[in-house]
Amino acid sequence: MSLHLDDVTLTYPDGDGRLTALDAVGLDVPAGTLTAVVGPSGSGKSSLLAVAATLVTPDRGRVVVAGTDTGTLDRAGRAALRREHVGIVFQQPNLLPSLTAAEQLRVMAHLSGRRHGDRRARDLLGAVGLADCAERRPHQLSGGQRQRVNIARALMNDPAVLLVDEPTSALDHERGAAVLDLLVTLTRRRGTATVVVTHDRAHLHRADRTVTVRDGRLTAA
C-alpha cells in the first residue's frame, strides 16, 4: 500500500480572495519508503500533511491512501480510513499525563475496537526501545522517549501511511538522529509509506527521497 497525491490544489479564504496553500501537487510515496518534506515556514508543508491525512479536502485533485480514492468517501468514511490506515505523529507528543506509556497505546486500540491491545502495546514499545518504560508516565520520560511513545502510538493500528510532523524540533542533534533512524527502521520493517516534515536538513540523508515545498509547489530537493 502507498500514498498517492495527484494534481492536488488547496485554497483558503483570504480577505476578498483565496490563498493557494497547495498548487497542483503530485507526490508518490511507495510502501516501505520514507519521504522527507522541507521548505520555509508557510510554504504549504502542514497543508500537505493535512490533505494526506484526509483532515482537509482539497479543492481539486486525487488523494489515494492504501488503494482508496479518498474523494469517493464521505466524512464518516474518511474518519474510518484514518483509524484503520493512517498514523499521525504530531510535533508535540500530547501524551495524556495520567496514563503510562503502555496505556497511551492501549487507548488507541480501544478506540478502534481492536483486540490484543496489551500484547501489541508491549511489542511496539519494545520496537521503539522502550520495553522497560511501559509503566512510566510522561513526566518520568525524557523528550526523546516521549517522542518514541508518540511514534509507537501512531503505529498501534498498523497503518499503511505514517505522517510525521517535525519529530526532532524539540530534540538535540543526537536524539533527533536517533528518532529519524527509528522512523527509517520502522518504515522498512512494517512497510509503511512514511512522510516526514522536517526543518532539520542534517538528517535528510536518512530519507529515501527529499522534496521541497515552496509557495505551495512541490519540487525535488
Side-chain angles (χ1 to χ4, degrees), residues 12-89:
Y12 293 112
D14 183 30
D16 294 331
R18 306 284 295 183
L19 174 68
T20 300
L22 297 174
D23 188 359
V25 166
L27 179 66
D28 278 301
V29 185
T33 68
L34 186 149
T35 294
V37 180
V38 298
S41 297
S43 60
K45 302 189 302 297
S46 295
S47 294
L48 178 65
L49 282 189
V51 166
T54 74
L55 295 170
V56 175
T57 301
D59 299 54
R60 186 180 73 239
R62 296 174 68 237
V63 179
V64 181
V65 175
T68 298
D69 185 343
T70 62
T72 66
L73 303 176
D74 59 14
R75 180 177 297 181
R78 291 193 298 273
L81 182 78
R82 283 194 298 275
R83 285 196 303 271
E84 296 173 10
H85 297 298
V86 180
I88 305 174
V89 180

Side-chain angles (χ1 to χ4, degrees), residues 60-131:
R60 186 180 73 239
R62 296 174 68 237
V63 179
V64 181
V65 175
T68 298
D69 185 343
T70 62
T72 66
L73 303 176
D74 59 14
R75 180 177 297 181
R78 291 193 298 273
L81 182 78
R82 283 194 298 275
R83 285 196 303 271
E84 296 173 10
H85 297 298
V86 180
I88 305 174
V89 180
F90 296 101
Q91 184 172 350
Q92 298 298 325
N94 295 321
L95 302 178
L96 297 171
S98 62
L99 299 185
T100 66
E103 288 168 343
Q104 309 280 347
L105 275 62
R106 290 200 292 266
V107 164
M108 298 299 295
H110 175 73
L111 290 174
S112 63
R114 296 190 179 223
R115 302 174 61 188
H116 310 301
D118 291 351
R119 183 195 313 162
R120 182 157 179 80
R122 288 195 301 270
D123 289 346
L124 279 172
L125 288 173
V128 299
L130 294 177

